[in-house]
Amino acid sequence: MNKKILIAFIITIIPCKSFSQGAMIVEDPGMMLQQGVEHAESFGEMMTQTSMFLEDLNMKYSEWSENIKMYEKNIKLATTAGKKVLVLYKEIDNVYERLEYFRKNLKKSSYLSASEKIILYAEGAAACKNLMEGKEDLIKRATEAADIQAKSDGYRSLEQIDKLIAMVRSVDRELLKAINHANKIVAAKRNLINKTKSMERMFTVKY
């Protein structure tokens, strides 16, 4: 706004002191002009400062709001990642339990020879070999992925943990194949022994 126009506007809005006991008091026009200029400058400075303050406040609020959203997202991702790591631990534990269960069943089986038990157990152990040897590294990788920081890609971290879980489950499936193979051999031998005993009873001559 042109300064002269602004001054003229200010002068028009400054209340003139008039009519005191019927007499008009005339003020100094030069002083009124000076007061108008000072008021305009003061008002303009105040509005400028207020505008800058509000703009800065808005920027700080936007930044704070974004930080809160990012924090909430990372908390959720970190919680999900922690749960997935627990799933990974459980999957590894399942493999170990299954292998030990397999060993105990082979040991007490009366249908298999000692050499057959060793060979069948070796097949199951071979399926788990890489997992057992790399278990510590696998858990370390999962734990590091679950440590989701403010600037990290949390979704990619979840994907990494999912891949580790899938790898352990694939080991478990290979172990199950070895166990099923052993069960088929045991079932076949049991069936053969039962048939042999049945034939022996059929042809046994009693005196």
Side-chain angles (χ1 to χ4, degrees):
M1 182 183 290
N2 186 286
K3 196 168 187 178
K4 291 182 179 180
I5 297 174
L6 177 61
I7 292 170
F9 171 73
I10 296 300
I11 291 173
T12 61
I13 64 173
I14 295 176
C16 296
K17 294 183 180 179
S18 62
F19 301 111
S20 175
Q21 296 181 352
M24 179 183 291
I25 300 175
V26 180
E27 297 187 5
D28 183 0
M31 183 176 293
M32 290 176 62
L33 181 61
Q34 181 62 32
Q35 289 176 349
V37 171
E38 291 176 357
H39 178 75
E41 290 178 348
S42 176
F43 181 78
E45 184 180 352
M46 180 187 72
M47 290 303 297
T48 300
Q49 290 177 353
T50 301
S51 177
M52 292 174 62
F53 171 75
L54 291 175
E55 184 178 350
D56 184 55
L57 186 63
N58 184 56
M59 290 176 61
K60 288 182 178 178
Y61 172 75
S62 297
E63 182 182 353
W64 173 258
S65 180
E66 287 301 316
N67 287 340
I68 288 294
K69 290 177 183 177
M70 179 65 72
Y71 179 76
E72 289 177 345
K73 186 191 79 170
N74 287 335
I75 286 293
K76 291 178 182 178
L77 291 175
T79 300
T80 302
K83 290 178 180 178
K84 286 181 179 291
V85 171
L86 290 178
V87 170
L88 179 66
Y89 270 86
K90 185 60 180 175
E91 292 293 335
I92 295 173
D93 190 51
N94 287 343
V95 172
Y96 273 77
E97 284 185 358
R98 200 184 305 279
L99 184 61
E100 179 62 10
Y101 180 76
F102 180 43
R103 186 189 68 81
K104 288 179 178 179
N105 279 352
L106 286 174
K107 186 177 180 180
K108 65 184 182 182
S109 176
S110 58
Y111 296 101
L112 298 171
S113 65
S115 59
E116 287 174 328
K117 292 177 181 179
I118 292 173
I119 292 171
L120 291 172
Y121 180 73
E123 183 181 349
C128 307
K129 182 175 181 293
N130 291 334
L131 174 61
M132 290 188 290
E133 290 179 350
K135 182 188 70 171
E136 297 302 325
D137 179 63
L138 186 148
I139 292 174
K140 180 182 177 182
R141 286 162 59 191
T143 304
E144 288 176 351
D147 185 20
I148 296 175
Q149 302 297 324
K151 295 183 179 179
S152 65
D153 188 341
Y155 293 104
R156 184 171 294 181
S157 297
L158 297 184
E159 186 178 324
Q160 291 175 357
I161 301 173
D162 284 336
K163 288 180 179 178
L164 296 176
I165 292 173
M167 185 186 73
V168 175
R169 287 175 176 171
S170 69
V171 170
D172 195 36
R173 287 194 294 271
E174 290 302 312
L175 175 57
L176 279 171
K177 288 180 182 178
I179 293 173
N180 289 334
H181 179 221
N183 289 339
K184 288 178 180 179
I185 292 176
V186 170
K189 293 193 73 171
R190 182 171 57 242
N191 188 43
L192 178 61
I193 291 172
N194 290 339
K195 285 183 177 179
T196 300
K197 289 181 178 180
S198 178
M199 293 294 290
E200 287 177 350
R201 286 194 297 270
M202 185 181 299
F203 291 103
T204 296
V205 180
K206 294 184 179 179
Y207 296 97

